[in-house]
Structures are given as C-alpha cells and as structure tokens.
Amino acid sequence: MLTTAPRGTKDIMPADVKAWRYLEETMRRICAQYGYKEIRTPVFEHTELFLRGIGETTDVVEKEMYTFTDRGNRSITLRPENTASAVRAYIEHKLYAEPAPTKLFYIGPMFRYDRPQAGRYRQFHQFGIEALGIQGPNIDAEIILLAVQILQSLGLKDLKLKINSVGCPKCRPLHREKLQAFFKPHFDELCKDCQSRYARNPLRLLDCKNPHCHELGDGAPSLEECLCDECREHFEGLKKLLTAAGIEYEIDHNLVRGLDYYTKTAFEIQYQPLGAQSAVCGGGRYDGLIEEVGGPATPGIGFAMGMERVLLALESQNLLPAEMESMDVFAVCPNQEYFPTVFKTVIDLRRAGLKAEFDFQGRSMKAQMKQANKVNARNVLIFGEDEFARGQVVLRNMATSEQKEIAITDIITNLQAEV
Ligand code: AMP
C-alpha cells in the first residue's frame, strides 16, 4: 500500500508531462484569443459552498465529495468542480462591480469519490470557463465555440455537440408536473435514486444511468414544449449563432441539469470512441447560482472539460506531438582532476541560457558518451588531457559527428553559435 498511489489517483510521470503541457498551452493560447483570464482558487473550500453551489440533491454532493472536519472543527471539502469556487471568488472580490462580462478560466485538479475506471478517476483535472454578467445567448455561443476550437485545434474529429434548454424557474414547474404524471404509473419500477428524485427533482429522472429508468423515460414530455417565450427565444438565438459559425449540433432533450439555478442552455461535447466515458466537456447556464451563493443576481454560464479524457482521445488518435527532449550540450570529463573546470563551464553555460548536463559519478569516457546519447545531447564537449593541457577542448556536433578544437575561454560563444 505504501508504494502505490491511492485508488483512483495517478502519478503524471515526466514522460507524460509533455502531453499535459501541450494541452494546457493550447487551452491558454485559445483563452487568450477569446479574452478569458486565468483564476486559481484553493483546492478546498467550506463544504457549505458546494452544498449551495452544486446542490444537495446531486450525485456529486450526495455521494462523491471528499469532506472532512479540520483541526479547527470546520467542515471542509476538496473541490469536486471549480464553478462554485470561481463564483465565490467573483463575489468575494466584487468582480461584479467591473464591466460585464467577467471572463475566467481555470485548470486544475478536482476530487470526487467516483468508481474508478478508464476515463474516470478520484483525482482528475478540469479545464473550465466561467463567463459572468451577460444575459443573452451570444456568450453561450462564444463559450461553446471556444470549447470546440480547443478540441478541433488539437486535431480531434468525430466530436458531437449536444445542446438543450432546461428552461427557467418560470417554465419548469409545468414540465415538472407533466414529468411526474408521465412517470407516476411506473413509479415502482424506478431505481431507488429515481424514486427519491421523483418528488424532489423529477428532471433528473431523464439522465439516470440505470438502463431501465432510461427506457422508462422514452417518450417523456420534453422541456422544449414547455419553454416560456424568453427561454425559447434564447434557445433559438443560440441555435442561430451556432449555425452561423458553421458548428453542427444535435438537440438532446435528455441533457439536463436538474437544479433551479441551472437555466436555459445546457450542452455537452462527446468524443464517441471513448465509449462509456465519452463526455469530454459539459456545461451550461446558471443564472440563479450567484445569488444562491450570496452575491447579487447575476447571470452566468460555464463549462468544464475533462483533461484526462481529452488526453485519452488524443492518444487514441496518435495526435500527441512526438517532440523529443534534448540537451544543447553534454560535458564529458574523463579526468576528475578537471572536474571543477567542467563544473564551472556547465554552470556558465546554464547561466547563458543553454541546456547543459554532465556526469556526476566520475564514470568512464565510454559511459559518459552513452549518457550524452541518452539525454539526446546535440553537442558534446570533451575535456581530453592533451587538449586540456593546451587550454582547449573538443566540441563535437552529435548529428554530423564533426569535431573541432576550441579554447576553453570560447566555449560559450561557440555553443551559442551552434544552438
Ligand atoms: P461535470 O463537472 O461532471 O459536468 O464534468 C465535466 C467533465 O469533467 C466531464 O465531461 C468529464 O470530461 C470530466 N470528468 C467528470 N468527472 C470525472 C472523473 N471522475 N474523472 C475524469 N474526468 C471526469
């Protein structure tokens, strides 16, 4: 146990970090194009924030939170998502006093006591967007485009964008009644969770993972029929903008977020080849959330993208860049008497901005050359005895095998010219 990471967590090893950085850099670059600024919130918050901000009837809150009492007797929870924290920070730092929209993005680890499997972990990473302060569908379309642009610029094809409108507290009660009437004859057949959702939150019956509940939901009254004029207009506006931008989408009435503060737009981007965990990105509008968490009534919309899932998708399509790590120079020191000079040279090279490495163990010349190959050194400096006596070293270009003698005092200028 001591030598394995906890279930559902993973080390990101040096060989994997390149792919992570590539993904993060792509996300940061595209966020800058769209004018989104990074926010970094604590990885833990007061539990109450998530009870309010995610909702007490959700699976995340009911079953998946890492909650503990700290030494000061406060209930603390490791963040299972970042929206609630971003909204808390928005209120705490009075960002609502600045001109709307407030455009934020985040990248970081989230924690859920989920059942681990491929694409589902207990510590996982999300990239996400929150756009606060704007009412109409224009910003909904913008953030969907941002998500799509990231995935497309990584080279992913076969993405499926699903959208829906979950209405608002004005139009949902009618749908709620219709849903309850629809499911009533089948109440006894519903799973335990759905039986409890039936009264508390019947909209969530539509996204139950249980296959039988799913079947029972076939033909359930759709929210679209019940939308009020404002929600209908908003949804039509969004569809128009997506079409104008040339983005294909599918309307999925079962795409729901069943809490009062989730309003209007809900969307998901799927990458089908990932199978059961095909959702790479999910989001929606939450016009009631900021008020719920204690701020002024402010509209908002956001999404979160699962980084591990995007990486799985990229890996499966061979879309990860195969760029090799390399060193600019490796200093070979066959005689330990010269080591202080070699050490000083390497340090000076590093101070000059070059990537330089040497052998720490006083090994044979052959072993040091082997190591130079292993670290993919583009040049090697050999501090041979004859040359050293004359204040010279051999500089070898590893790609061409060309070598020349240079003065020890000219090493930096020569290497800067090579690199
Ligand atoms: P959610 O915050 O549940 O809407 O999830 C947003 C995205 O985060 C999903 O579409 C997944 O890509 C990813 N995600 C959610 N839960 C997990 C998990 N346990 N492990 C890995 N990725 C996850």
Side-chain angles (χ1 to χ4, degrees):
M1 202 169 97
L2 273 181
T3 52
T4 45
R7 191 165 138 75
T9 71
K10 276 207 298 199
D11 298 309
I12 301 174
M13 298 304 287
D16 308 322
V17 166
K18 239 182 322 172
W20 280 84
R21 291 178 66 149
Y22 164 67
L23 188 56
E24 290 165 11
E25 278 156 20
T26 306
M27 290 162 165
R28 291 203 158 88
R29 174 170 50 79
I30 295 176
C31 280
Q33 287 183 282
Y34 281 71
Y36 284 79
K37 305 251 163 48
E38 182 168 1
I39 185 166
R40 299 185 188 191
T41 62
V43 291
F44 60 83
E45 297 272 359
H46 294 118
T47 302
E48 181 66 21
L49 175 67
F50 299 119
L51 302 185
R52 289 286 194 94
I54 302 175
E56 298 194 36
T57 62
T58 56
D59 283 353
V60 169
V61 167
E62 281 184 341
K63 304 174 190 165
E64 298 169 2
M65 293 207 306
Y66 279 93
T67 298
F68 59 96
T69 306
D70 75 4
R71 287 168 198 270
N73 225 15
R74 301 169 196 91
S75 179
I76 292 292
T77 295
L78 298 185
R79 63 182 184 194
E81 50 99 277
N82 215 152
T83 302
S85 309
V87 163
R88 196 247 330 117
Y90 174 83
I91 301 168
E92 184 171 338
H93 301 279
K94 301 194 173 51
L95 298 184
Y96 48 78
E98 294 171 13
T102 301
K103 292 172 146 194
L104 305 172
F105 81 89
Y106 59 81
I107 297 179
M110 311 294 156
F111 308 87
R112 294 184 195 174
Y113 195 79
D114 233 330
R115 201 167 59 81
Q117 52 197 291
R120 189 169 285 281
Y121 314 98
R122 289 183 175 167
Q123 174 173 338
F124 60 100
H125 297 74
Q126 284 183 336
F127 156 74
I129 285 287
E130 313 298 342
L132 302 142
I134 299 287
Q135 198 76 253
N138 304 3
I139 201 134
D140 306 26
E142 171 172 280
I143 72 158
I144 292 176
L145 268 137
L146 190 159
V148 170
Q149 191 175 329
I150 286 176
L151 296 167
Q152 284 181 342
S153 76
L154 292 165
L156 286 174
K157 297 188 185 75
D158 307 320
L159 296 164
K160 190 179 260 181
L161 167 64
K162 293 183 163 186
I163 61 170
N164 192 23
S165 174
V166 298
C168 70
K170 273 184 284 174
C171 47
R172 264 200 305 259
L174 171 65
H175 183 239
R176 188 187 167 103
E177 270 171 37
K178 286 192 179 186
L179 270 182
Q180 281 171 331
F182 177 84
F183 280 106
K184 197 171 183 185
H186 308 289
F187 183 84
D188 294 338
E189 294 172 63
L190 292 170
C191 74
K192 262 212 173 69
D193 282 344
C194 280
Q195 290 188 344
S196 109
R197 287 170 185 148
Y198 177 87
R200 289 193 296 168
N201 196 348
L203 194 59
R204 296 242 2 257
L205 293 168
L206 298 176
D207 74 345
C208 181
K209 305 277 177 295
N210 180 311
H212 190 57
C213 298
H214 205 76
E215 253 168 53
L216 291 175
D218 269 353
S222 95
L223 227 163
E224 200 171 13
E225 302 159 19
C226 310
L227 292 182
C228 63
D229 289 346
E230 189 190 322
C231 289
R232 188 178 304 281
E233 240 169 67
H234 189 102
F235 197 38
E236 290 308 318
L238 170 65
K239 290 192 263 184
K240 214 180 273 172
L241 289 173
L242 293 178
T243 306
I247 299 290
E248 279 179 34
Y249 60 84
E250 191 179 290
I251 295 170
D252 180 354
H253 296 303
N254 291 339
L255 194 63
V256 299
R257 319 193 118 214
L259 292 166
D260 276 356
Y261 35 86
Y262 290 120
T263 51
K264 302 183 173 123
T265 308
F267 72 96
E268 190 168 283
I269 301 176
Q270 296 182 343
Y271 182 67
Q272 300 291 342
L274 287 180
Q277 315 302 331
S278 66
V280 290
C281 175
R285 190 165 262 284
Y286 45 75
D287 289 347
L289 177 60
I290 293 147
E291 208 174 1
E292 179 71 28
V293 173
T298 311
I301 179 159
F303 71 72
M305 194 179 275
M307 309 266 290
E308 281 84 355
R309 294 205 190 157
V310 176
L311 284 170
L312 282 173
L314 293 177
E315 228 169 80
S316 72
Q317 301 293 297
N318 280 325
L319 287 170
L320 288 172
E323 167 209 336
M324 291 252 280
E325 297 278 2
S326 65
M327 294 306 284
D328 296 323
V329 56
F330 189 97
V332 172
C333 174
N335 181 339
Q336 286 309 292
E337 268 176 42
Y338 312 153
F339 187 74
T341 308
V342 173
F343 183 75
K344 168 79 167 50
T345 304
V346 168
I347 295 301
D348 284 345
L349 285 165
R350 289 173 179 166
R351 284 179 178 147
L354 292 155
K355 294 196 278 177
E357 185 61 291
F358 58 81
D359 169 60
F360 287 88
Q361 300 170 80
R363 290 181 298 179
S364 71
M365 169 110 170
K366 196 173 153 205
Q368 293 191 35
M369 287 304 288
K370 221 166 146 182
Q371 199 191 341
N373 271 317
K374 197 172 154 216
V375 300
N376 210 9
R378 291 195 274 158
N379 298 281
V380 170
L381 279 172
I382 305 164
F383 288 74
E385 294 192 14
D386 291 351
E387 291 85 6
F388 195 82
R390 284 185 267 117
Q392 304 275 107
V393 287
V394 171
L395 172 61
R396 179 196 288 201
N397 180 312
M398 295 295 268
T400 61
S401 295
E402 267 172 46
Q403 43 182 65
K404 57 181 176 187
E405 237 181 78
I406 57 169
I408 290 180
T409 46
D410 293 341
I411 289 177
I412 294 185
T413 8
N414 267 281
L415 274 163
Q416 276 175 329
E418 288 285 327
V419 177

